[in-house]
Amino acid sequence: MTVKECIAAAAVELGIGDEVRDCLDGVSSTASGDVKNLLQCFNLVENELALDYLPLLAEDTLETDTGTVRYSELSRAVVRVIGVRDQAGNDVAYQLFPDFLKAQAGTLTVRYSYTPTPKTLSGKSDYTLYASVRLFAYGMAAEYAAATGQYEAAAVWDKKYKAAITAAYRTNKAKKIRARRWV
């Protein structure tokens, strides 16, 4: 899912789709302020989803002689360490510190959640599963409406956004409990 797709979908939801589409295609520059604002809304929504609702997960494998792994050595900005494994795939005990984690020496695989980097217009979202263009469009519309002082519209869009997040959480069908028979 690209940033431009999300911006175009949010613009359609907000009723400014034609102007924004022309600006994204390079035909016109009249909606460039709206595009910048929607890009900022995209980054806010992606960050909010990663931190509060649908965490993004990553794994990095590192070699360490001392067992110390600095968070800056990992490929992404760490939010929460989920686990550490050794080269054989066994869980390893570890301690967290403000700037690093401490585990045993050797080859370690660190699994963690991360916050996405801010995107540009030519970027792609870090989400490949669960989050859809529609979910982003609702969140972006809520942010845009709140930023422009349309508070009633922002409340409506926020309600749709939260419903879309709830739907994204539901990946499994509800389990049915068989009726109990009494003797």
Side-chain angles (χ1 to χ4, degrees):
M1 151 176 52
T2 65
V3 173
K4 284 185 178 182
E5 289 173 337
C6 294
I7 288 175
V12 168
E13 296 291 339
L14 289 165
I16 56 173
D18 293 334
E19 298 88 12
V20 169
R21 191 174 310 110
D22 289 344
C23 184
L24 289 175
D25 293 339
V27 176
S28 169
S29 62
T30 57
S32 63
D34 288 334
V35 171
K36 288 178 185 176
N37 291 338
L38 287 171
L39 176 61
Q40 185 177 9
C41 291
F42 174 87
N43 286 318
L44 287 170
V45 169
E46 187 176 46
N47 196 38
E48 179 184 23
L49 282 174
L51 294 176
D52 297 337
Y53 299 107
L54 302 168
L56 292 166
L57 303 177
E59 278 188 359
D60 287 343
T61 302
L62 302 151
E63 182 71 35
T64 177
D65 295 332
T66 62
T68 300
V69 176
R70 296 207 162 281
Y71 301 132
S72 60
E73 295 173 5
L74 299 173
S75 62
R76 301 180 187 261
V78 177
V79 173
R80 186 173 71 97
V81 175
I82 297 169
V84 179
R85 294 178 184 239
D86 62 11
Q87 192 171 7
N90 300 320
D91 289 333
V92 173
Y94 61 93
Q95 290 180 326
L96 297 175
F97 295 93
D99 294 328
F100 61 92
L101 68 85
K102 184 80 173 160
Q104 69 185 27
T107 302
L108 300 174
T109 301
V110 181
R111 183 173 170 87
Y112 58 95
S113 64
Y114 67 92
T115 183
T117 58
K119 306 297 186 290
T120 61
L121 281 176
S122 61
K124 287 188 173 187
S125 174
D126 286 0
Y127 284 97
T128 55
L129 296 175
Y130 303 117
S132 64
V133 172
R134 185 181 58 136
L135 182 136
F136 270 90
Y138 289 163
M140 291 166 63
E143 291 288 342
Y144 184 89
T148 57
Q150 304 170 26
Y151 301 114
E152 291 177 7
V156 171
W157 287 117
D158 191 57
K159 186 176 180 182
K160 288 183 176 186
Y161 173 56
K162 298 294 194 267
I165 291 172
T166 303
Y169 271 126
R170 287 188 227 139
T171 57
N172 297 333
K173 292 183 179 179
K175 295 183 180 183
K176 295 181 181 178
I177 300 174
R178 296 174 71 194
R180 193 164 194 185
R181 297 182 187 198
W182 298 97
V183 181

